[in-house]
Amino acid sequence: MPVVVLSGFLGSGKTTLLNHLLGNRGGTRIGVVVNDFGSIEIDAMAVAGQVGDSMVSLGGGCLCCAVDGSELDTYLEKLSAPVHRIDVIVIEASGLAEPQEMIRMLVASENPAIRYGGMVQVVDAAEFDSTRGEHPESDRHLTVADLVVLNKTDRVDAAERARIEGELGALCPGTPVVAADHGRIDPELLFDRRPWTETQGQLSFEDLIAQARDALDAVDAGDAEHEEDGDHTGHAHTVYESTEFVSDQAMNPRRFIDFLDRRPAGLYRIKGYAYFGVPGHEERYEVHAVGRFLRFAPQPWGRGEARLTQLVLIGAGTDGPALLRELEACREPAPQHAPPESMWGVLRYVDRPAEAETEPEPEPYDPEPYGDPDPDSDPESADL
């Protein structure tokens, strides 16, 4: 299961964003690790009661742990136990934590049930300059972020927001920046939401939130009679566009990696499966991208399952038809003739066993029709 790190300085809005994820997760079971025992302010915990070092189970399937850094592995092992049926774990780091240390712990973890799922840095737009002045290390934190959420944009004007976005572009070039107020981002940017299918016994935390939201929507509807029926202006899902790509033809791994390396900053999330069909690599490869974080995971095909590439691309300000044209150009009609070396770009984003420190020497191959590897590419550059 993916483990997403939620980082940001005190007051940036991490807890608000986390509560938003908890309240808009569909049927997804979220394990939450709070790395700030001294000041727990999660609304979900207030529902369940005082939280100590033990886990708290909510009706909707959230498990929350209040821990310090030394206990992280222990609690991740507990949360990833099959009995809890958790789909994703979100770690809310302390406002004074060093996120790169937490990332390093996750990447080096020997727990086979979890995988690092990207780091999200929350930035307070209203306190951007003062935070950088008081905490210069914030610039370093931005450099390891895979996605930046510029929060509290409702507290700055358009010119100030544009200035901050320009500063962020210089501090962490290539890292996507999502603007938000009150931490309201689409959870689909971080994890897949499952449909909510059941309620057992008393109303769950999510049911209560849904009821409250319906009541507020009804009030809003009464105050905004001029709006057309079905108008969802301002809702998170209207900010993003979703593009779907399906191909029954294999993908050329080099061209596909080139597409991913050049993906526009507004393309926040890519998920799905890719089929390459290269000899020795006929599995399907799960694709998971959050911001600039990218990970492939080879998986066996199901019996009788069609060999397809199926991708969903979520972004803002993206050109859907152009993305589809680029993906169409990644198709490969004769994958059986591809050399194994053509998969190098993909394999650098696949988790490997810790003992696999060296790669076998490649056999000589004919570079046509794939062309020589890019001599400037860095096979070691991956997550950070």
Side-chain angles (χ1 to χ4, degrees):
M1 68 189 70
V3 181
V4 179
V5 177
L6 189 60
S7 181
F9 278 95
L10 296 169
S12 60
K14 300 187 303 297
T15 299
T16 302
L17 193 155
L18 179 55
N19 282 328
H20 174 74
L21 296 178
L22 292 173
N24 294 272
R25 58 190 169 83
T28 305
R29 297 176 67 86
I30 305 176
V32 180
V33 177
V34 182
N35 188 226
D36 198 1
F37 182 74
S39 56
I40 301 171
E41 299 176 353
I42 296 183
D43 293 346
M45 292 183 178
V47 175
Q50 180 62 36
V51 176
D53 290 332
S54 61
M55 289 184 293
V56 172
S57 178
L58 301 180
C62 291
L63 294 176
C64 301
C65 303
V67 305
D68 60 41
S70 64
E71 298 174 303
L72 184 58
D73 271 340
T74 300
Y75 279 88
L76 288 177
E77 184 176 355
K78 288 184 178 181
L79 286 172
S80 60
V83 67
H84 299 310
R85 296 183 293 127
I86 294 295
D87 300 307
V88 61
I89 297 173
V90 179
I91 298 176
E92 181 187 355
S94 163
L96 300 176
E98 288 290 341
Q100 58 266 45
E101 294 301 322
M102 197 167 293
I103 293 170
R104 189 171 290 110
M105 291 176 64
L106 293 172
V107 172
S109 173
E110 297 181 357
N111 184 344
I114 66 169
R115 57 183 170 87
Y116 174 55
M119 198 273 271
V120 180
Q121 181 78 4
V122 183
V123 174
D124 185 340
E127 303 293 335
F128 178 71
D129 292 327
S130 61
T131 297
R132 291 187 68 198
E134 297 174 11
H135 304 281
E137 62 272 28
S138 62
D139 290 358
R140 184 177 69 252
H141 296 176
L142 286 166
T143 64
V144 299
D146 299 298
L147 183 70
V148 174
V149 175
L150 181 59
N151 196 30
K152 305 185 184 181
T153 53
D154 56 314
R155 296 180 57 190
V156 297
D157 58 28
E160 177 67 359
R161 171 177 162 180
R163 181 189 70 82
I164 295 172
E165 289 176 341
E167 294 267 4
L168 292 172
L171 290 168
C172 47
T175 302
V177 178
V178 178
D181 63 86
H182 299 88
R184 293 186 292 227
I185 68 169
D186 193 332
E188 289 281 348
L189 298 184
L190 305 182
F191 55 79
D192 294 344
R193 279 184 294 186
R194 302 179 186 277
W196 186 254
T197 57
E198 62 181 47
T199 298
Q200 296 181 352
Q202 63 183 7
L203 289 177
S204 71
F205 177 58
E206 186 165 16
D207 291 327
L208 295 172
I209 289 179
Q211 283 192 353
R213 186 183 297 115
D214 289 342
L216 289 174
D217 286 345
V219 173
D220 291 341
D223 293 339
E225 295 179 354
H226 62 281
E227 293 183 356
E228 298 180 5
D229 291 341
D231 181 14
H232 294 272
T233 303
H235 289 202
H237 63 78
T238 64
V239 179
Y240 311 109
E241 302 98 29
S242 177
T243 302
E244 290 77 34
F245 174 78
V246 179
S247 173
D248 58 3
Q249 198 171 67
M251 305 294 280
N252 180 299
R254 287 183 177 156
R255 290 198 292 267
F256 186 55
I257 283 294
D258 182 59
F259 165 78
L260 294 174
D261 286 344
R262 295 182 295 101
R263 62 189 185 273
L267 186 54
Y268 305 131
R269 178 81 193 280
I270 303 174
K271 57 182 180 177
Y273 300 94
Y275 170 54
F276 300 109
V278 175
H281 303 279
E282 290 90 352
E283 313 98 318
R284 71 174 185 175
Y285 281 76
E286 181 187 17
V287 184
H288 171 75
V290 173
R292 68 176 182 177
F293 173 79
L294 175 63
R295 177 63 69 224
F296 287 95
Q299 301 175 351
W301 295 97
R303 178 175 296 181
E305 186 176 1
R307 271 49 174 170
L308 296 174
T309 291
Q310 299 174 294
L311 301 171
V312 177
L313 304 94
I314 303 173
T318 54
D319 185 340
L323 292 175
L324 291 177
R325 287 193 296 271
E326 291 190 57
L327 287 169
E328 292 280 354
C330 294
R331 291 183 173 185
E332 175 54 54
Q336 68 274 16
H337 300 311
E341 292 81 5
S342 64
M343 288 291 293
W344 280 358
V346 172
L347 295 179
R348 68 176 178 170
Y349 294 108
V350 173
D351 284 327
R352 302 173 184 174
E355 61 271 15
E357 297 180 356
T358 60
E359 295 185 18
E361 190 69 24
E363 296 291 335
Y365 71 97
D366 181 356
E368 296 297 334
Y370 283 81
D372 291 317
D374 181 0
D376 296 325
S377 65
D378 179 10
E380 298 300 324
S381 62
D383 306 323
L384 306 184

